[in-house]
Each structure stands twice: as C-alpha cells, then as structure tokens.
Amino acid sequence: MSEYKFIKWFEELGKKDVPLVGGKGANLGELTNAGIPVPPGFCVTAEAYKYFVSNVKVSKEDIRRAVGEKGVLAEVLANAPDEPRTLQDWIMDIVERTNVDDSRELMDNTELIRKLILAMPMPKEIADEVLDAYHKLSQRFNKDAVYVAVRSSATAEDLPEASFAGQQETYLDVYGDEDLLENVRKCWASLWTARATFYRAKQGFDHRKVYLSAVVQKMVNSETSGVMFTANPVTNNRNEIMINAAWGLGEAVVSGAVSPDEYIVEKGTWKIKEKYIAKKEVMVVRNPETGKGTVFVKVADFLGPEYVEKQVLTEEQIIEVAKMGAKIEEHYQYPQDIEWAYDADDGKLYIVQSRPITTLKEAPAEGEELEETEEMEVILKGLGASPGVGAGKVVIVLDINDIDKVKEGDVLVTTMTNPDMVPAMKRASAIVTDEGGRTCHAAIVGRELGIPTIVGTKEATKKLKDGMLITVDGTRGVVYKGIVKSLVKKEKEEKAEGKVVVAGAPLVTATEVKVNVSMPEVAERAAATGADGVGLLRAEHMILGIGAHPIKFIKEGKEEELVNKLVEGIRKVVEAFYPRRVWYRTLDAPTNEFRELPGGEDEPVERNPMLGWRGIRRGLDQPELLKAEFKAIKRLVDEGYDNIGVMLPLVSHPWQIRKAKEIALEVGLVPHKDVEWGVMIETPASALIIEDLIKEGIDFISFGTNDLTQYTLAIDRDNERVFKHYDEKHPAVLKLIENVIKACKKHGVETSICGQAGSDPKMVKLLVRLGIDSVSANPDAVELVRKTVAREEAKIRLEAARKALFE
C-alpha cells in the first residue's frame, strides 16, 4: 500500500488504475511493470484534484481579487450567494453560462477558469506529499533535484475508459520545488483549456465528473525523439509500423512545429519499406538561459547546417524503435500510439508514453480507389495524414484570433494547427498544413474527427488563396484545383456546386478599396485580394512580437535590433503591395498589452487602458520609441520604397502633429517629401478641430471608427452590458464623419476609413455617398466591399442621369 494519500508511484499502477490516474498515468505504470524502459516517476492522483476543487473555499471578494468581474463573471457574481463556495461551484457556474460553439466566448471564459485555479494556493497536505515524492525521486539519481516532465492525465468518473489524450497540457524541463508545484497547478488548470472543454461538451461528458492527474516523470535529455504508430494510421495496415523522428525533444513532432523524418517498417521481417528524410528547420531543447522549460532553436545553429537534412535515426535505431513498439503492442494486444526518445546522456531508448490508437478504420475494399480524370489538376502535395476526400472554400488561418473565419464546410489551411484551433477544425471539411508529420496534432485530430487532412506541404499558405475552391484527398496527400466531382460524395458535391463562382472582369471603382494588415506574414495574401493598397498597417504585432518591451530593448542598447525588426516587417508589406500605397500607423498598444511583455513590469496600471497612455500620447512621452519607428521608415525610403505613408493614432490637438514631425526630422525623415503624412480621426476632438489639424499640415486622414464610436457614445466596446448600444452608424458618429470629409474635400486632403465599419457593406454605402476617397477593409471582406462600392457608385451615376433627364 502506498505511503501517500495523493501520490502513486509508477510501480504501484497498472491499466486498471485509469479512474485514479487517467490513461497516461495508468499506461506508464503498466509499461513499467511490464519491463519496458520507462523513465521513473509518480502520479499526483485525480483524488488530489478532486480534493482541491471540493475543499478550497472561495468568496466573492477572492474572485474579484483574483480575476476581477469582467465578462461572464459579472453575471456569475450577481447570482451567487454571499457565503464562500467551493472552487468547483464557481467553475461550474462559468461553464454552464458558456456557449462552446462561440469560439471567442469559449476562449475568454475558460481563460477565467484557469486564472481562478492558478490564483488559489495548493492545499498544504497535497503540496507536502508532492514535494516528498519529488525529493525521493531525485535521491534515486543522487541529486537534490532532477529535471522532470509534468504531464496532464485526465479521466472521467462515469467512463474511466474515456481517452482525453492531447486535450490538456504538458510541461517539460521542470526543476525544483516551486517550479514543480506551480506546474502541477498548471496541469490542473489545463483541464479547462478551450479545446478540452469543447471536446468534452461535444463528446457528452459531464464536466463535473471529469478529473485530472498530474504525471511527474524523470526528464529524458533527448538527443532524438518522436512518435510511432504500431499500425499505419493512414493506410490502416496493421503489419506496418510508422515512426516519426526529429532532433531534440518530441514536443516539436507532436505539435507539428517540425516536419519529421518518417520511416515505415514491416513487422516480423523488420524491413524498412519507406524512408522520408525531411528538412528539419527547428528543434526543441531545454532553455539554455534559464535552465528551465523549453525553447525552439534552429537546427542549423544548434547542431550544424548538415543536420537539417540528415537522417535522424540510424538503420539500427529504426529497427530498435520498431521492435520496442511491437513489444508494447503485444503486451496490450492492440495497436499503440507511442512517444519515444533516445537519451543523450546514456544513449538508451526510453518510452515516455503509450496509448491505444483510436482512429484505425477498416481498409478500403479492393478496387474502391477512385480513378483520375482530366478534371483532376494537382496544385499541391503533402503527406496524407487522415484518409478521405473533402472539398470546399479555402480559409487561411495564420492567427488563433482568426479561427472564427472558418465556417462549416470550409477547408482550413494553416502553417500548423494547435489545440486551440479544434473548434474551427471541427467545422472544416478538410485540413491542409505547411508543417507537421503524420503524428502531429493536425493529423491526430483530423483522424479522430474523421476529417481528411494533409500535412507537411511546406507551401499551402502560399500556394492556396482565401476563397479558392479545392478538393483535398487525405489518403493520397494531394490537393486538386476546384471541386473534383468524381472524388466527392453526391451530397457534398451538391453543396460544393452551389459555391462555384464564375470570375468576371475585375471591378474598377472610383473609390479605392484598400486592405487592413496586422501581420507582415499575411502581406502576400492581402495583396492577392487585389486591394488598391493598405489603408492600415498596424505596428502593434511587429513591436509586441519582438519578445520584450520595446523600451527595454532601447534601454539595453538594442535600438538597432528593434529598428531592424520593424524594417523587416514593414518591408514585407510595402514590397508585396508596391507601388500601391501602404499607410503605417505608429504604435497604439494600451498599457495592459505592454505589461505582459518581459520588461513591462513598470507599465502603469490603468482603470481603463483604452482611455489611457496609448497612441501618440505615449509616442510623444517616449520619443525614443517613436524615433525608432521613424528610423525604420527612413531606411525603407532610402531603399527606394516611395509608397509609404505615416499615420499618427489618437491625435486630439495640432501640437501633437507638430511635435511628431520634429521627431521625424531629427532622424532625417521629411514629412510630405519622403512620406505622406496623416492622422487617425478616432476622437470627437480630432473631428471637431479638423480644420486646425489640416492647417498644421496633413496629406490624409483615416477614420478609426472603433474608437470614434466608443468615445462619441461613451460606450466601452468591450463591456457586454452596454455593447448593444454600440452603433457605428449612430447619427452623431455619421455627423462627425460627414463634417470631416467635407473639410478634407475643401482642402484637398485624402479621406479613408480603416475601422471595423470599413468591412460593413451598409456602412460602406453611406461612406461612398458622403464622398470618401477610399475604404480599407479586412482581407476577407475586400471582394464584398469592392462589389458594394461598385454597385453604390453605379446607383449614384444612375440617379444623377435620371435627375438630369427629368429636369
């Protein structure tokens, strides 16, 4: 019997213990006792999680202190009793008010649950046992502390055999007491990721009866690692073993961040039937700076350029891994999905996880393979990862915030999927990725959901364009142009035929239709929409994406590095659109976004950051930051890019324009000569003093309707209680826009709009009639906006002709 209440060593566990430690923990115990080389460890049982959520009492004040009362919490707090309640009760209140099919709501609400769990201390009785077991594990290796992996292992009370593999988190290279306790709580919190909550809801599991065990396992210092399937999951051939291998830790293979080598081995004969040697650009290693956690590094830099296309495993190692897989399958009497690693310290093979393959299907009948016809034009190839055929409209997702763009029946195309994309993946008719192997996240989820999937194409996000109609053959790993009727089932074919668009001559409009760009990575895709330019290039993603507070870079003498990052990002956009104009908006990130960055500890805490230190206000208070942006623009101008405009955000007074110009001149950037100079009209102040702003010298203005509406109507657009009153077509907002357009027309200043309203056809119609010079829409709305503009301009011409005719 165990000496602990909340801890079980692997040696004490077997497959019967799934209800106590989940499938992952039970399998590690089973493997250990079967003589398989498993790194030693223990499980913090599901009983510990149950004890935590059932015994930790939380008051309303605790909630407000820990996570505030924004969003759903306002409703939860308003309806909850005054006396303290268990953590479980608060969690269920939030879950029961969550629509899991609304991706944004699901992500926001599950984030609140995770924050709440992480804000609560681990009960001492649990913490004492965890640390005692950790110290004993370390003593096995004659050390005070060892590196461990902390893995989540969930289980359902009513359905102990249920598999939740891949739904929760794993934390690698955890070291020391505090680090361990923190990561066990992170595992508990990961029971409430958006993907895990969505999965349980769709599978019909009772959230109240799903628990989580944290597996603590000695870390393998992986030289090479990967995943193997003891039956080929693509062809369903149970006589073949598929092995994926990459350098470093296996996280890169499982997540799909790297396209791994792939080896197919025949059972019994141990003949290596196929070898695919991939180009392995990145690998995951222990963070060399902190000694904790993991980081991605370039293979060429870490190991040497020759390792990028070098075979990961030797022939002997391939066969050793395959034989170990067969041994594990024989023990379980069922094909297995196994994670393995070779330890750099002792050169030995270790098994770190095994679970049943849940996606095997019956092999297709003889002669069932579909014939190719003249209509089947191959436009892309990759690795067939989930069998079947899917067809539909391409939707390219390069940011998690764009997953709502994927509608039912679309083809999801992305660099690589991650677990937060599962809601969108479920809606897709097929999935295509740039990276990944047949054991990556996209492949496994695609097979589990029965969605045809192709991975490792390398260029899907470049070759395929938003709105394209394609057919995806997940068995062969081939993408065909258009809807290939012979490959699509009748009911899907009928839907696909309804989506076919016959392209006509490109529309030419007097009102320019531009596009908003947030990330340089999407420049080519945005340019492919045929937009007349970029009406808004945001600086935030480029600056916040450098990995640290920009002021920290400058203070540490790294201004040159910051400027180079900006030059690199902006160049991608101005080059993709050249000679079409690109209007770059200087930094406009509120303090709460900056605070999350390394070096952001000194950011002020503001009650309402949207009304706070942002836009040109910050730029003039921290001129060194604005100067860095202007230096980047100046370099691009010197390179010959004469299609750049500079746009100042949140301007409310002429002196702000004057001061910004002085800073630009200090770095040699001449407004109106080197670059066009403009301002955002986002406040009633700027709209009401537009004549004064024009006198200060501007070439263009652009309406930021999101803020203009917010400030005009005194409505916090992030406040769900008042959002119903948020109306960009409110008479007051339209009156301000109309007056600004009239003043600009009078003085020859160009007008545009780049707020969300620019993608709304109803608003676009009004703006065209008010005489706006251009409209800047989101990339997916450019085509619709252009048609709307063309139609409205035609109506205006027709109305004028009729008026002249009848007068």
Side-chain angles (χ1 to χ4, degrees):
M1 179 176 288
S2 174
E3 59 188 299
Y4 301 114
K5 180 180 178 182
F6 300 112
I7 301 295
K8 288 283 186 182
W9 293 97
F10 290 171
E11 290 85 353
E12 300 177 278
L13 297 169
K15 56 186 178 184
K16 66 182 186 306
D17 293 306
V18 171
L20 183 64
V21 293
K24 193 176 299 180
N27 280 336
L28 288 170
E30 183 75 16
L31 291 169
T32 298
N33 289 306
I36 302 298
V38 173
F42 58 88
C43 294
V44 184
T45 67
E47 291 300 320
Y49 174 81
K50 288 166 70 174
Y51 184 90
F52 173 62
V53 296
S54 302
N55 287 274
V56 171
K57 294 295 179 72
V58 185
S59 69
K60 287 187 175 183
E61 282 310 306
D62 291 333
I63 297 283
R64 293 188 177 100
R65 240 187 338 264
V67 288
E69 52 182 313
K70 188 178 178 182
V72 72
L73 277 179
E75 182 184 348
V76 169
L77 288 167
N79 290 284
D82 291 329
E83 63 272 12
R85 311 163 72 211
T86 67
L87 190 54
Q88 179 81 327
D89 288 336
W90 289 110
I91 292 171
M92 287 306 118
D93 268 3
I94 297 172
V95 173
E96 287 164 4
R97 287 174 168 81
T98 301
N99 175 9
V100 298
D101 291 312
D102 183 327
S103 300
R104 175 50 53 193
E105 181 180 328
L106 177 64
M107 285 191 283
D108 289 345
N109 291 357
T110 51
E111 182 182 10
L112 286 174
I113 295 174
R114 296 195 301 278
K115 284 182 177 179
L116 183 57
I117 290 174
L118 292 172
M120 297 300 115
M122 182 183 293
K124 186 176 184 300
E125 49 270 45
I126 300 176
D128 287 347
E129 288 195 7
V130 171
L131 293 181
D132 188 64
Y134 176 58
H135 297 156
K136 287 181 178 176
L137 177 64
S138 301
Q139 288 164 14
R140 291 193 193 182
F141 299 91
N142 299 314
K143 293 184 178 180
D144 293 331
V146 291
Y147 284 95
V148 292
V150 182
R151 303 170 179 269
S152 304
S153 183
T155 187
E157 183 178 279
D158 292 339
L159 292 168
E161 74 280 4
S163 172
F164 297 100
Q167 297 300 314
Q168 282 78 41
E169 301 294 345
T170 288
Y171 302 95
L172 304 178
D173 281 311
V174 175
Y175 185 84
D177 292 2
E178 289 185 15
D179 202 21
L180 175 59
L181 293 180
E182 179 185 356
N183 282 286
V184 169
R185 284 193 301 128
K186 283 183 180 179
C187 279
W188 287 348
S190 77
L191 188 63
W192 299 102
T193 59
R195 63 185 178 273
T197 308
F198 179 86
Y199 179 85
R200 291 195 300 269
K202 291 303 179 183
Q203 297 297 326
F205 294 111
D206 184 346
H207 292 293
R208 289 181 179 273
K209 296 179 178 180
V210 177
Y211 308 108
L212 189 136
S213 167
V215 177
V216 180
Q217 184 177 26
K218 169 72 168 62
M219 191 75 199
V220 177
N221 183 19
S222 303
E223 180 178 40
T224 58
S225 58
V227 178
M228 81 171 124
F229 288 102
T230 62
N232 191 320
V234 178
T235 63
N236 299 302
N237 187 339
R238 300 198 179 203
N239 291 317
E240 291 180 345
I241 293 177
M242 176 190 287
I243 300 170
N244 279 186
W247 306 113
L249 297 173
E251 182 184 344
V253 178
V254 175
S255 68
V258 66
S259 297
D261 284 4
E262 182 173 288
Y263 319 118
I264 304 295
V265 181
E266 187 173 66
K267 287 179 186 173
T269 66
W270 310 114
K271 176 184 176 184
I272 302 172
K273 296 174 66 175
E274 295 178 30
K275 281 197 300 186
Y276 167 73
I277 311 304
K279 191 174 183 180
K280 300 162 286 290
E281 303 280 3
V282 296
M283 62 188 292
V284 176
V285 299
R286 181 179 299 155
N287 190 325
E289 293 184 9
T290 64
K292 295 180 181 178
T294 60
V295 292
F296 279 88
V297 296
K298 291 183 177 179
V299 170
D301 295 340
F302 197 82
L303 297 177
E306 68 275 16
Y307 283 83
V308 173
E309 297 189 62
K310 181 179 179 181
Q311 183 173 313
V312 173
L313 295 183
T314 65
E315 313 292 300
E316 293 78 14
Q317 287 175 325
I318 293 172
I319 294 169
E320 182 184 16
V321 171
K323 286 183 175 180
M324 183 63 71
K327 182 177 180 180
I328 295 170
E329 179 184 272
E330 184 179 359
H331 176 80
Y332 283 106
Q333 292 295 299
Y334 194 82
Q336 297 289 297
D337 168 356
I338 300 165
E339 292 182 28
W340 57 269
Y342 275 100
D343 196 318
D345 296 332
D346 60 18
K348 292 181 180 178
L349 171 65
Y350 288 93
I351 302 301
V352 295
Q353 188 176 327
S354 181
R355 70 182 185 105
I357 301 176
T358 58
T359 57
L360 288 177
K361 299 178 178 66
E362 292 301 317
E366 191 78 28
E368 193 179 35
E369 189 173 339
L370 297 164
E371 266 184 55
E372 293 190 0
T373 70
E374 292 180 4
E375 298 176 59
M376 297 168 71
E377 181 185 341
V378 176
I379 56 175
L380 190 67
K381 290 183 178 181
L383 297 171
S386 178
V389 172
K393 182 181 70 175
V394 168
V395 175
I396 299 177
V397 175
L398 298 173
D399 186 283
I400 188 62
N401 293 318
D402 291 336
I403 63 173
D404 286 338
K405 287 168 51 180
V406 181
K407 307 301 180 187
E408 196 71 34
D410 289 340
V411 177
L412 170 61
V413 178
T414 185
T415 306
M416 68 183 82
T417 68
N418 63 53
D420 291 322
M421 287 187 180
V422 170
M425 296 169 76
K426 192 173 179 66
R427 294 192 293 270
S429 63
I431 299 165
V432 184
T433 72
D434 287 346
E435 303 295 342
R438 286 170 171 154
T439 55
C440 72
H441 177 266
I444 291 172
V445 174
R447 289 193 291 269
E448 185 162 330
L449 296 177
I451 300 169
T453 302
I454 298 175
V455 298
T457 65
K458 292 297 183 187
E459 51 188 1
T461 55
K462 293 178 181 177
K463 277 200 169 184
L464 304 179
K465 305 297 180 185
D466 268 336
M468 284 179 66
L469 293 175
I470 61 172
T471 300
V472 177
D473 186 334
T475 304
R476 299 185 186 89
V478 175
V479 177
Y480 299 97
K481 182 179 180 180
I483 305 298
V484 181
K485 297 178 182 179
S486 62
L487 294 181
V488 183
K489 292 180 181 179
K490 186 176 180 182
E491 62 271 20
K492 290 186 177 180
E493 180 182 345
E494 289 171 358
K495 290 181 183 178
E497 287 175 343
K499 294 180 182 178
V500 174
V501 177
V502 179
L507 290 171
V508 178
T509 58
T511 307
E512 289 189 338
V513 178
K514 300 179 179 179
V515 66
N516 300 329
V517 174
S518 296
M519 299 182 295
E521 297 92 322
V522 303
E524 290 186 15
R525 180 168 64 89
T529 63
D532 296 312
V534 176
L536 171 63
L537 171 58
R538 295 181 175 92
E540 290 75 57
H541 181 82
M542 285 181 278
I543 290 181
L544 296 177
I546 61 177
H549 197 299
I551 291 298
K552 183 174 187 286
F553 269 76
I554 293 170
K555 285 181 178 178
E556 293 177 353
K558 298 179 181 177
E559 184 197 30
E560 184 66 18
E561 187 177 339
L562 174 62
V563 171
N564 286 337
K565 290 280 187 184
L566 287 169
V567 169
E568 187 180 304
I570 300 169
R571 185 192 288 119
K572 287 180 182 177
V573 183
V574 295
E575 187 174 289
F577 278 86
Y578 193 86
R580 294 170 284 176
R581 293 178 299 167
V582 173
W583 288 349
Y584 170 86
R585 185 182 72 186
T586 58
L587 183 64
D588 186 20
T591 52
N592 57 324
E593 293 183 15
F594 269 115
R595 199 179 306 115
E596 301 300 320
L597 294 172
E601 302 82 11
D602 296 331
E603 284 292 304
V605 177
E606 299 178 314
R607 287 189 178 181
N608 189 337
M610 295 298 288
L611 290 171
W613 198 38
R614 51 173 287 215
I616 194 63
R617 301 166 185 170
R618 178 191 281 271
L620 297 181
D621 285 348
Q622 294 183 317
E624 61 271 35
L625 184 52
L626 195 58
K627 193 174 290 187
E629 293 184 82
F630 289 157
K631 283 182 179 180
I633 297 291
K634 170 63 174 169
R635 288 189 193 175
L636 290 165
V637 170
D638 290 344
E639 289 179 15
Y641 293 105
D642 55 3
N643 59 326
I644 308 175
V646 170
M647 190 156 59
L648 307 177
L650 221 65
V651 166
S652 58
H653 199 284
W655 74 264
Q656 294 170 325
I657 301 174
R658 190 181 319 132
K659 187 64 179 175
K661 286 183 178 180
E662 290 173 6
I663 294 172
L665 288 169
E666 286 178 23
V667 303
L669 183 67
V670 183
H672 313 297
K673 179 185 175 185
D674 292 336
V675 291
E676 292 182 300
W677 201 263
V679 298
M680 296 284 294
I681 302 297
E682 300 166 283
T683 66
S686 59
L688 292 170
I689 63 166
I690 184 61
E691 295 271 1
D692 297 320
L693 300 182
I694 291 172
K695 287 176 185 176
E696 194 59 50
I698 54 176
D699 301 306
F700 65 88
I701 66 94
S702 186
F703 294 105
T705 51
N706 298 359
D707 277 335
L708 183 60
T709 304
Q710 176 173 240
Y711 299 143
T712 302
L713 303 182
I715 289 173
D716 178 357
R717 66 177 189 259
D718 291 332
N719 186 330
E720 62 184 20
R721 290 184 175 180
V722 296
F723 186 77
K724 61 185 177 182
H725 302 295
Y726 183 88
D727 181 10
E728 292 162 319
K729 294 185 282 296
H730 188 285
V733 178
L734 293 178
K735 191 67 177 175
L736 290 172
I737 291 174
E738 182 178 8
N739 290 342
V740 170
I741 292 176
K742 283 181 179 178
C744 289
K745 288 286 182 190
K746 176 181 172 183
H747 295 284
V749 174
E750 189 174 345
T751 57
S752 187
I753 182 173
C754 58
Q756 187 61 35
S759 299
D760 178 359
K762 292 180 182 178
M763 187 69 167
V764 169
K765 290 179 183 179
L766 294 172
L767 292 168
V768 170
R769 288 190 174 271
L770 289 175
I772 201 162
D773 295 308
S774 68
V775 176
S776 192
N778 298 329
D780 58 349
V782 168
E783 184 181 356
L784 175 60
V785 168
R786 190 181 293 282
K787 289 178 180 178
T788 302
V789 169
R791 192 176 295 113
E792 202 61 25
E793 287 180 346
K795 283 184 181 179
I796 293 170
R797 289 194 297 271
L798 181 60
E799 288 166 5
R802 284 173 174 169
K803 185 177 180 182
L805 181 64
F806 291 107
E807 284 180 353

